[in-house]
Amino acid sequence: MRSEQPKMIYLKDYQAPDYLIDETHLTFELFEDHSLVHAQLVMRRNPACAAGDPGNDLPPLVLDGQQLELLALALDGQALTEADYQLSDSHLSLQPKAASFVIDSSVRIHPESNTALEGLYKSGSMFCTQCEAEGFRKITYYLDRPDVMSKFTTTLSAEQHRYPVLLSNGNPIASGPEETAAGKSVRHWATWEDPFMKPAYLFALVAGDLWCVEDSFTTMSQREVALRIYVEPENVDKCQHAMDSLKKSMRWDEETYGREYDLDIFMIVAVNDFNMGAMENKGLNIFNSSCVLAKAETATDAAHQRVEAVVAHEYFHNWSGNRVTCRDWFQLSLKEGFTVFRDAEFSADMNSRTVKRIEDVAYLRTHQFAEDAGPMAHPVRPDAFIEISNFYTLTVYEKGSEVVRMIRTLLGSEGFRKGSDLYFERHDGQAVTCDDFIKAMEDANGVDLSQFKRWYSQGGTPRLAVSEAYDAAAKRYSLTFSQSCPATPGQSEKLPFVIPVELGLLVAQGGELPLRLAGEAAASGTSRVIAICEAEQTVIFEDVAERPLPSLLRGFSAPVKLSFPYNRDQLMFLMQHDSDGFNRWEAGQQLSVQVLQELIGQHQRGEPLVMDQRLIAALRSVLDNQQLDQAMVAEMLSLPGEAFLTEISEVADVEAIHSAREFARLQLAEALYEPLWQRYQDNRDVSRSSTYIAEDQHFARRSLQNIALSYLMLSSKPEVLAACLEQFEACDNMTERLTALAVLINSPFGAEKAKALASFADFFKDNPLVMDQWFSVQAASALPGALARVQQLMQHPAFTLKNPNKVRALIGAFAGQNLVNFHQADGSGYRFLADQVITLNALNPQIASRLLAPLTRWGKYDAARQSLMKAELERILASGELSSDVFEVVSKSLA
Ligand code: TRP
Ligand code: ZN
């Protein structure tokens, strides 16, 4: 907890470090009731700063350190006394006497009672670490900043029988039993050496009773790398998918970016208590077990895909993050935006590219756009923060990835590769900035990206309004683009962005025109990328013999809110004929949005709901199209979510949105009952007669099977209930079982529902990741009474507030996915969430702060809800000693 008012840190105040740490020698003695950390730091004055000052005028050395009990301190072997240094609750300062020196410190820490899961902590019976962003300072006194890179050697010792496995970064160099004066003890030790310079945030250690699954990988230069995934003994049967994903990632990075792995061993450790998805510590990635463990019986298709993506993401960080790291935390997107882009492309290459893009865009537009429109909005490269943990955001990650994607779109794949080659080569071993990344792209391609860089410095989601004009006599078609960007906190005026718009022109027969822009001698291609750089810009197309229909922003070529006055018939035409698969889906979504907004209006005016039959016709033809990828059919059948409909509303009417959407689903279910039933049965037959395979075509098949089931169940027909129960009981995988359970939970069949919930919990009670799913489907159920159910489930023996996965699965799912229940007009949902945030603030500030997000969105709701939400934020603010994490989010939300 903070003792003073937390202070804002600014990018403009960045200064290079006064001192460097060439070598870091760590010794950990791990015990049940405390741990001891001895650090030897071989330091010198930073030559980059020393230039101006004479050698005898050394600045003080200020080391970061929090929650450490200092036991001993020495400078060049001389023990220091309290008179020789200053100690505060966040720093240790002393005056060096020479430009090079060695600091030795010993501290006592308490991993066994660390519930924040930052620094050294225990997850179950195992010791592990999480140092990013500023956790290393809770382990020892250090220059805990990413531009201080050091060579680490680490020795850890622990009781042999409780902790047979002792791991750290790099290569193992020695190990053995601990010798004491009285002879051999029950303890043992191991020493690891990491030959690569790294910042402290990439440090890791693990000690536990772990089993490992082993494999190996031969790199492109024929080096043999040992691959190990360490898990608790009961989970060795759930590692194969992660191992396969790792090997695919290693090959992909060689083939796509020319990047080879650099150590002789690569390790992944799965832990149950983890604040985020995973962490890219050098040679020793630590993962939330939810992002490693996957097998048919316990993990859904979505979970399998998440494991593949996160394994790839962390592996890719070895180059984009570790070999080339960030100068300071304002540059976080340098590694995160780039690495998300890399893992998204990997997933697109391994699975369906269009489906991956649809999923990512739907997620970005629902969640990142909401963040960008709220009180915590910030640029991809923020310029100020109180608590860096609050900036591991959708903006830094997801929008940051879109920014890298736009660079590739503008430069082309080859130009982009030249840029990334230059970036890795030029900055290997360095801590650099987003500007350095851009500079490499510019230098490799001979282009000027200075205006483009506004994507890093300006927050908010740009709007791009497009209008058309057609001159039949001149055969000339023109599109006028006007961009604007709403104000965000601290930024009222925005300058124009460079917006790459990929587009094509469709004609009535369904073909696409060769595109010749005014001034060009000849047409080239039917899909082109046009860079919109001005506030208003007109693009003229020649040789256009009939009025075309534009297909705009293909593949979602820029993270903007595009508007073009399409009517519903035009959208239906695009759904059928656009050559861009993403835009076919997008046309369907826009059609659905128009239809749903009409229904929302009818609901608000108290009129009977009447749905436009064209949506039914459009989706019928999608269902009838046997040529279409089944995953695309499933995506097209998914109506825009309530959270997305909220995001695009001026003032979101929670009840109207829910009622309108449910009405539309029911209409579709009734009108399309026959084709849905057919598609369901065809796919269930295949599932029934084959064993589970975690591959794209099977993901596709099951996604259509499952969305069909969810529609069919709305009919409440006994034959559907029977099918649902058959699927629930007889299937061989979690994808089918969980869908059947979720569909049952939301149905009116009370007895069957209760029975299924009980049998599921009984069967999977010892598998925490499966129990997370069980909590989530109940927390997300829109039926009345959800809050009471959630409160009751918090008493379930499998639930604990100390485990972030449980908090997310139950409380997070309720507040984030169950909008009608969370936003109950009496404010009970808000009060409940604030209570949990206040409790968690003392246990785990990072989780408390993330859980808060739904309350920060008060600006979207009616006056009554706004005041209820703000009152809860005020209550949190007044609740006592707040962590800097929670303080920053609450105070900014109320500002
Ligand atoms: N760098 C991690 C990633 O791959 C993010 C991360 C993991 C993290 N654990 C964390 C960030 C804890 C902050 C706090 O994206
Ligand atoms: Zn990352």
Side-chain angles (χ1 to χ4, degrees), residues 421-543:
D421 283 351
L422 180 60
Y423 170 72
F424 288 126
E425 185 203 322
R426 186 185 268 178
H427 298 296
D428 190 8
Q430 297 178 0
V432 304
T433 63
C434 298
D435 286 337
D436 293 318
F437 181 79
I438 296 289
K439 187 77 167 58
M441 291 291 162
E442 290 180 326
D443 291 354
N445 289 279
V447 295
D448 176 359
L449 294 171
S450 44
Q451 186 189 346
F452 180 84
K453 286 209 288 191
R454 289 175 189 157
W455 282 108
Y456 286 93
S457 57
Q458 297 187 146
T461 306
R463 283 150 215 267
L464 187 61
V466 190
S467 61
E468 63 174 355
Y470 181 58
D471 180 344
K475 294 188 177 170
R476 193 172 282 150
Y477 179 70
S478 64
L479 289 169
T480 296
F481 295 83
S482 35
Q483 58 165 306
S484 61
C485 184
T488 46
Q491 297 185 331
S492 44
E493 299 299 323
K494 314 276 170 123
L495 295 168
F497 292 87
V498 176
I499 302 176
V501 178
E502 185 174 348
L503 53 76
L505 299 179
L506 277 72
V507 287
Q509 303 75 33
E512 299 190 9
L513 294 177
L515 301 177
R516 180 163 82 89
L517 298 177
E520 290 179 347
S524 73
T526 54
S527 201
R528 299 268 296 260
V529 175
I530 296 184
I532 303 301
C533 307
E534 311 294 330
E536 188 169 302
Q537 187 170 333
T538 297
V539 179
I540 299 166
F541 300 89
E542 307 283 8
D543 308 327

Side-chain angles (χ1 to χ4, degrees), residues 519-594:
E520 290 179 347
S524 73
T526 54
S527 201
R528 299 268 296 260
V529 175
I530 296 184
I532 303 301
C533 307
E534 311 294 330
E536 188 169 302
Q537 187 170 333
T538 297
V539 179
I540 299 166
F541 300 89
E542 307 283 8
D543 308 327
V544 182
E546 61 175 288
R547 176 183 280 273
L549 186 60
S551 166
L552 299 165
L553 210 69
R554 286 180 156 173
F556 199 64
S557 59
V560 301
K561 292 192 177 181
L562 179 106
S563 59
F564 181 85
Y566 290 116
N567 63 40
R568 294 182 199 178
D569 294 322
Q570 291 172 325
L571 291 170
M572 287 177 72
F573 184 84
L574 289 172
M575 275 178 85
Q576 297 262 359
H577 298 291
D578 200 322
S579 65
D580 184 74
F582 175 86
N583 267 17
R584 280 201 302 276
W585 170 80
E586 173 64 6
Q589 291 290 295
Q590 286 191 43
L591 175 63
S592 303
V593 164
Q594 289 192 16

Side-chain angles (χ1 to χ4, degrees), residues 7 21 32 44 60 147 170 202 275 377 426 445 481 553 556 558 573 590 617 706 725:
K7 70 173 203 298
I21 308 177
E32 294 315 297
R44 70 190 151 100
D147 56 353
L202 292 172
N275 282 348
R426 186 185 268 178
N445 289 279
F481 295 83
L553 210 69
F556 199 64
F573 184 84
Q590 286 191 43
N706 282 333
L725 291 172

Side-chain angles (χ1 to χ4, degrees), residues 738-766:
L738 192 70
T739 300
L741 181 67
V743 160
L744 260 183
I745 284 179
N746 290 291
S747 78
F749 304 109
E752 288 80 358
K753 181 188 326 192
K755 194 162 156 259
L757 274 173
S759 74
F760 188 101
D762 186 53
F763 193 77
F764 292 110
K765 60 181 176 302
D766 297 324

Side-chain angles (χ1 to χ4, degrees), residues 269-541:
V269 180
V271 306
N272 291 328
D273 303 289
F274 201 73
N275 282 348
M276 306 264 285
M279 179 63 211
E280 69 265 24
N281 317 300
K282 184 76 185 188
L284 178 58
N285 289 359
I286 298 183
F287 273 59
N288 187 322
S289 53
S290 70
C291 297
V292 187
L293 305 178
K295 68 166 183 175
E297 294 78 6
T298 55
T300 61
D301 289 349
H304 279 81
Q305 286 170 287
R306 173 135 173 93
V307 167
E308 181 180 75
V310 178
V311 166
H313 179 97
E314 306 310 329
Y315 174 73
F316 296 156
H317 269 316
N318 191 55
W319 276 95
S320 50
N322 301 2
R323 289 288 287 261
V324 183
T325 194
C326 301
R327 186 192 74 172
D328 55 73
W329 292 120
F330 297 101
Q331 318 296 329
L332 183 57
S333 197
L334 172 76
K335 73 175 178 84
E336 295 304 347
F338 188 20
T339 305
V340 171
F341 173 68
R342 278 152 56 69
D343 84 58
E345 283 298 292
F346 167 76
S347 294
D349 283 345
M350 298 298 123
N351 303 290
S352 157
R353 175 164 287 273
T354 306
V355 171
K356 169 69 178 159
R357 190 68 187 137
I358 289 169
E359 289 168 354
D360 286 352
V361 171
Y363 186 72
L364 181 90
R365 286 202 295 215
T366 301
H367 302 290
Q368 195 278 327
F369 281 16
E371 179 172 277
D372 235 348
M376 284 291 289
H378 54 277
V380 167
R381 182 188 55 220
D383 31 38
F385 60 73
I386 291 176
E387 171 53 61
I388 185 57
S389 300
N390 284 328
F391 286 79
Y392 287 76
T393 58
L394 296 157
T395 301
V396 166
Y397 276 66
E398 264 56 50
K399 186 177 181 182
S401 163
E402 295 299 321
V403 170
V404 176
R405 179 179 297 277
M406 287 190 284
I407 295 173
R408 190 189 61 177
T409 301
L410 290 167
L411 299 180
S413 301
E414 278 177 37
F416 183 76
R417 172 65 192 268
K418 280 195 241 160
S420 71
D421 283 351
L422 180 60
Y423 170 72
F424 288 126
E425 185 203 322
R426 186 185 268 178
H427 298 296
D428 190 8
Q430 297 178 0
V432 304
T433 63
C434 298
D435 286 337
D436 293 318
F437 181 79
I438 296 289
K439 187 77 167 58
M441 291 291 162
E442 290 180 326
D443 291 354
N445 289 279
V447 295
D448 176 359
L449 294 171
S450 44
Q451 186 189 346
F452 180 84
K453 286 209 288 191
R454 289 175 189 157
W455 282 108
Y456 286 93
S457 57
Q458 297 187 146
T461 306
R463 283 150 215 267
L464 187 61
V466 190
S467 61
E468 63 174 355
Y470 181 58
D471 180 344
K475 294 188 177 170
R476 193 172 282 150
Y477 179 70
S478 64
L479 289 169
T480 296
F481 295 83
S482 35
Q483 58 165 306
S484 61
C485 184
T488 46
Q491 297 185 331
S492 44
E493 299 299 323
K494 314 276 170 123
L495 295 168
F497 292 87
V498 176
I499 302 176
V501 178
E502 185 174 348
L503 53 76
L505 299 179
L506 277 72
V507 287
Q509 303 75 33
E512 299 190 9
L513 294 177
L515 301 177
R516 180 163 82 89
L517 298 177
E520 290 179 347
S524 73
T526 54
S527 201
R528 299 268 296 260
V529 175
I530 296 184
I532 303 301
C533 307
E534 311 294 330
E536 188 169 302
Q537 187 170 333
T538 297
V539 179
I540 299 166
F541 300 89

Side-chain angles (χ1 to χ4, degrees), residues 163-237:
Y163 309 99
V165 173
L166 303 175
L167 309 174
S168 189
N169 315 91
N171 303 308
I173 56 170
S175 62
E178 200 169 87
E179 311 283 344
T180 64
K184 273 194 180 174
S185 81
V186 296
R187 297 175 63 82
H188 71 146
W189 59 275
T191 299
W192 292 76
E193 186 178 78
D194 183 354
F196 291 94
M197 301 284 280
K198 68 167 176 287
Y201 83 86
L202 292 172
F203 170 80
L205 77 72
V206 168
D209 184 2
L210 301 170
W211 288 16
C212 99
V213 172
E214 270 202 273
D215 207 329
S216 74
F217 179 82
T218 307
T219 70
M220 61 188 188
S221 67
Q222 305 304 311
R223 281 187 315 100
E224 186 91 345
V225 179
L227 309 178
R228 293 195 183 146
I229 300 180
Y230 287 92
V231 295
E232 291 171 321
E234 67 269 28
N235 291 326
V236 283
D237 62 336

